[in-house]
Amino acid sequence: MLTMQFARAAWKFLVAIKDGLVLIAMLLFFAALYGALSARPNVAAVSEGALLLDLNGVIVEEPARPDFASFLSGSQNDITEYRLRDVVRAIDASAGDDRVKAVVLDLSLFMGGGQTSLTSIGEALARVKEAGKPIYAFANFYSDDAYQLAAHADEIWMDPMGGIIFAGPGGNRLYYKNLIDQLGITAHVYRVGTYKSAVEPYLRSDQSPEAKEASAALYAVLWDSWVGEIKKARPDANVEAFARDPAAMIQAAGGDYAELAMAQNLVDKIGDRVAFGRFVAEKVGTDQTPSPDDFKAIAYDNYVAANPLPTSGDAIGVVTVAGEIVSGDGGPGIGASGRISEQIYKALEADDIKALVVRVNSPGGSAFASEEIRLAIEDFRKKDIPVVISMGDVAASGGYWIAAAGDHIMAEPDTITGSIGVFAVLPSFEKALGKWGVTADGVQTTPLSGEPNFVGGFSEDLHTVLQSGVENSYGDFLGLVAKARDKTPGQIDEIGQGRVWDGGTARQLGLVDSFGGLDDALKEAAKRAGLEDGGYHAKYLEEPLGFGWWALDGLPFAEDRERAPVNGIFGWVAQEQQRLFFQALNTAQGLMARQDVQALCLECGAVNPVAGFRQDIRLFDLLRSYSSSAAPR
């Protein structure tokens, strides 16, 4: 009897679980259906008003695909990613659209982008001004990236309790040699290149003189370019003096950041968000809502959807290599060689592709994966189809490895490129385990039996094998670049050695053929393919997210969680501290994660902070949650 009662209870319990799972599945289905029906941008909603660019995130070359596992666990990335070409297209479309009376930049939650990307957006904003349309900018706090965009506005507003700081490129990197020694870890580093400083954090406690020399030269060019862009857009702004001695200026202003910003002509008006909204409403009209600060706004997503990419004329294929280059089929948002190579080969089979533009915005990565992509591009050239390389913010190491396959390489003056060098890092733990009495011994049939020995340490034979392999990879790198640039391997070695160059210097050295952005690369590709001016369109070789991901993106409970804006100097310092700690853990993780020879420019992250920010976003969430819970209430 007891057995039967137990069986009935167990059966009822299992049925209850089954019914619960079915209910959850139905709820998810209908929620997804709701999201699919409501999330699509509403083209019909575009009416007269101000185009509102509330950039609540980062500018990227290629947005990453939503992570379903993170979504289910509630730790999804809440940092919005804006595709660079979409932002530029929307701004350019507004210049000739009579419905758009002004462009409004809301930069309070803006997290930045690469300097070259922001310059492209700035140039689009300048075209709007040339068309006679006003631009208004607002933020609680302005740092370098936000101000690079705001400088193009007719009026810059700042909150009375806000602030402004120009930090410039550069700063400190973290070095782990002392920590590694204390933990008893041995970092076996194999590299070629005097300037390949990506491995220095594992070998030194400070920056080498060679790395300092290369970094100083690069930072100086980027800073001068940033200042030049600001001065051109806003000639009266006292940028250089403020950046040179901010402490003295702020002290002289009695700590009143708003007064200082006005005195140095960095902003035009001091006012909170409500006052700014009322000001814009006076210019473009008031929305039909009870609040007087609501102006007629055209939503960014709706406007992008209302201005799709052109499809007339011949097709020029565009393949994007964005993020760290890895083997496999990951992405988008990461340079997965399997996925990108497949896109290239599919385009090669298509009859409508008359030329190919490869957009590279990557610090490099796996040499093997870089070569896989390069070979796929080479097959295009074998078919006498012209290939033009377009470099974005950074196209270094493996990014340049890929670029060498092009008929013509284009970059911007501020593009970070070069870094022709390779390395590999492998750890062993014989010192750490030895402290606990753990040793290793055994019988070998060959000199490499049991290698790599992460417990007993690496043998000299293994060191020789690994270093020789890295040197061979570097020789391959030199050879393919030398052949592509019509130089000798020795000439490339002189400008290689892992050194990073700005785009202007790279052009002088022969690593780049001409300056220009993506549109210029399309024009160059069209000319080489014999296409008429204006008789072509870009065909982006990328897969849409599909119904499932698109629907999930619109779920009411999958919306971005509210993220607090930076509300002044202290908030900016706290955010930078979090970012630095985040970077330290990611760099340490990289010691174990990278499994083959790397043509990777880790130091590029110092001048392109967007690179790699997607890695382990859960940690970023954890840090922010901790800082919020630790704050005084």
Side-chain angles (χ1 to χ4, degrees):
M1 180 65 68
L2 290 176
T3 303
M4 292 297 295
Q5 289 177 347
F6 176 78
R8 289 194 193 96
W11 176 253
K12 290 181 179 179
F13 179 70
L14 292 174
V15 170
I17 292 177
K18 183 263 295 181
D19 291 342
L21 291 175
V22 171
L23 179 60
I24 292 173
M26 291 180 63
L27 288 173
L28 284 174
F29 171 78
F30 286 111
L33 182 62
Y34 169 80
L37 295 174
S38 62
R40 178 179 294 181
N42 185 4
V43 175
V46 176
S47 58
E48 188 175 282
L51 174 60
L52 176 59
L53 300 178
D54 47 347
L55 302 176
N56 302 335
V58 293
I59 303 295
V60 298
E61 194 71 45
E62 184 179 50
R65 175 176 294 171
D67 181 2
F68 185 57
S70 297
F71 158 73
L72 289 179
S73 66
S75 59
Q76 71 272 13
N77 177 5
D78 65 343
I79 299 177
T80 305
E81 298 178 346
Y82 296 88
R83 193 193 306 270
L84 171 62
R85 69 171 187 259
D86 291 342
V87 175
V88 172
R89 187 171 81 252
I91 295 172
D92 277 333
S94 71
D97 191 338
D98 292 337
R99 296 171 299 179
V100 179
K101 305 303 179 183
V103 173
V104 173
L105 299 172
D106 188 341
L107 302 169
S108 291
L109 290 169
F110 185 52
M111 297 183 67
Q115 188 164 321
T116 295
S117 294
L118 299 184
T119 297
S120 298
I121 296 175
E123 291 170 349
L125 291 171
R127 292 190 287 270
V128 170
K129 292 179 70 173
E130 290 172 2
K133 294 190 176 181
I135 301 173
Y136 308 116
F138 175 85
N140 297 342
F141 175 83
Y142 291 99
S143 58
D144 301 44
D145 287 359
Y147 198 79
Q148 187 175 350
L149 299 185
H152 295 276
D154 294 273
E155 286 198 22
I156 303 177
W157 283 61
M158 188 177 79
D159 189 275
M161 299 183 67
I164 187 166
I165 281 291
F166 302 140
N172 293 324
R173 294 186 63 196
L174 299 179
Y175 291 80
Y176 308 101
K177 180 65 169 67
N178 294 336
L179 174 63
I180 288 173
D181 289 345
Q182 290 183 30
L183 295 176
I185 300 172
T186 303
H188 303 283
V189 175
Y190 309 93
R191 65 170 174 172
V192 182
T194 304
Y195 298 93
K196 200 61 182 175
S197 60
V199 297
E200 285 190 355
Y202 309 124
L203 297 175
R204 301 174 58 96
S205 58
D206 59 358
Q207 193 173 29
S208 68
E210 295 82 5
K212 282 183 180 290
E213 173 193 351
S215 296
L218 178 63
Y219 294 160
V221 171
L222 296 179
W223 175 245
D224 289 344
S225 178
W226 186 88
V227 171
E229 181 177 339
I230 301 302
K231 295 294 287 185
K232 180 181 179 181
R234 194 175 177 84
D236 295 333
N238 199 8
V239 173
E240 292 173 285
F242 178 70
R244 190 165 44 247
D245 196 359
M249 283 194 170
I250 291 174
Q251 188 175 31
D256 190 332
Y257 302 112
E259 177 186 326
L260 175 62
M262 288 288 292
Q264 300 302 316
N265 293 315
L266 299 175
V267 303
D268 299 294
K269 296 284 181 63
I270 300 299
D272 60 19
R273 183 176 297 277
V274 173
F276 175 73
R278 290 173 178 171
F279 165 79
V280 177
E282 291 176 0
K283 304 295 183 181
V284 304
T286 304
D287 220 355
Q288 299 301 315
T289 59
S291 177
D293 62 292
D294 283 337
F295 56 89
K296 289 183 178 179
I298 302 172
Y300 167 78
D301 289 337
N302 293 340
Y303 199 69
V304 170
N307 292 276
L309 291 165
T311 57
S312 61
D314 292 309
I316 298 178
V318 181
V319 64
T320 302
V321 182
E324 186 174 337
I325 300 168
V326 298
S327 297
D329 297 319
I334 189 169
S337 61
R339 174 179 57 85
I340 294 171
S341 297
E342 184 179 0
Q343 290 174 353
I344 295 172
Y345 284 121
K346 283 184 178 179
L348 191 59
E349 296 172 358
D351 296 329
D352 62 332
I353 302 295
K354 305 302 181 183
L356 181 68
V357 171
V358 182
R359 176 68 169 180
V360 182
N361 201 338
S362 168
S366 165
F368 181 89
S370 301
E371 176 66 0
E372 186 179 356
I373 297 173
R374 190 191 71 84
L375 290 174
I377 297 171
E378 283 280 3
D379 283 342
F380 248 92
R381 296 181 65 188
K382 291 176 183 177
K383 295 285 188 179
D384 293 326
I385 301 174
V387 177
V388 176
I389 305 297
S390 173
M391 293 181 169
D393 298 305
V394 55
S397 292
Y400 195 86
W401 189 305
I402 293 170
D407 296 295
H408 190 86
I409 299 177
M410 303 186 73
E412 302 280 15
D414 297 335
T415 296
I416 304 161
T417 188
S419 189
I420 298 172
V422 297
F423 73 93
V425 183
L426 294 171
S428 62
F429 306 93
E430 65 275 13
K431 294 179 182 178
L433 295 173
K435 295 178 181 179
W436 294 91
V438 178
T439 59
D441 195 9
V443 176
Q444 295 178 292
T445 54
T446 73
L448 296 181
S449 293
E451 298 286 352
N453 192 337
F454 290 96
V455 177
F458 292 6
S459 68
E460 287 303 318
D461 287 314
L462 181 61
H463 284 313
T464 300
V465 169
L466 293 173
Q467 181 62 33
S468 297
V470 168
E471 291 173 1
N472 182 69
S473 295
Y474 182 62
D476 290 342
F477 203 166
L478 294 179
L480 67 90
V481 173
K483 181 180 179 181
R485 308 311 298 166
D486 196 23
K487 296 180 181 293
T488 66
Q491 289 174 315
I492 298 299
D493 187 38
E494 290 179 3
I495 59 178
Q497 295 288 322
R499 178 156 183 170
V500 180
W501 304 99
D502 62 273
T505 305
R507 184 180 179 183
Q508 295 174 5
L509 295 173
L511 294 175
V512 170
D513 294 304
S514 62
F515 290 147
L518 181 56
D519 286 341
D520 299 302
L522 289 167
K523 291 178 183 177
E524 178 67 27
K527 183 178 73 173
R528 289 174 174 268
L531 305 181
E532 295 182 3
D533 187 23
Y536 61 88
H537 70 276
K539 181 178 180 180
Y540 290 93
L541 309 177
E542 55 196 22
E543 298 176 4
L545 292 180
F547 172 80
W549 292 111
W550 171 59
L552 280 175
D553 189 51
L555 291 178
F557 46 84
E559 295 177 355
D560 290 342
R561 289 165 291 175
E562 184 178 353
R563 180 167 52 83
V566 175
N567 290 322
I569 306 296
F570 292 97
W572 172 73
V573 171
Q575 179 174 275
E576 288 300 296
Q577 285 289 87
Q578 288 186 353
R579 185 184 63 81
L580 189 62
F581 181 56
F582 182 38
Q583 176 188 341
L585 292 182
N586 276 330
T587 304
Q589 184 184 30
L591 178 65
M592 295 291 293
R594 297 181 176 91
Q595 300 176 355
D596 56 1
V597 175
Q598 297 289 306
L600 176 64
C601 174
L602 289 180
E603 60 267 44
C604 292
V607 286
N608 184 24
V610 174
F613 85 97
R614 299 186 182 106
Q615 298 178 14
D616 201 1
I617 198 66
R618 295 185 185 89
L619 176 60
F620 190 81
D621 291 335
L622 178 63
L623 290 172
R624 187 168 60 250
S625 298
Y626 172 77
S627 64
S628 299
S629 61
R633 300 181 183 277

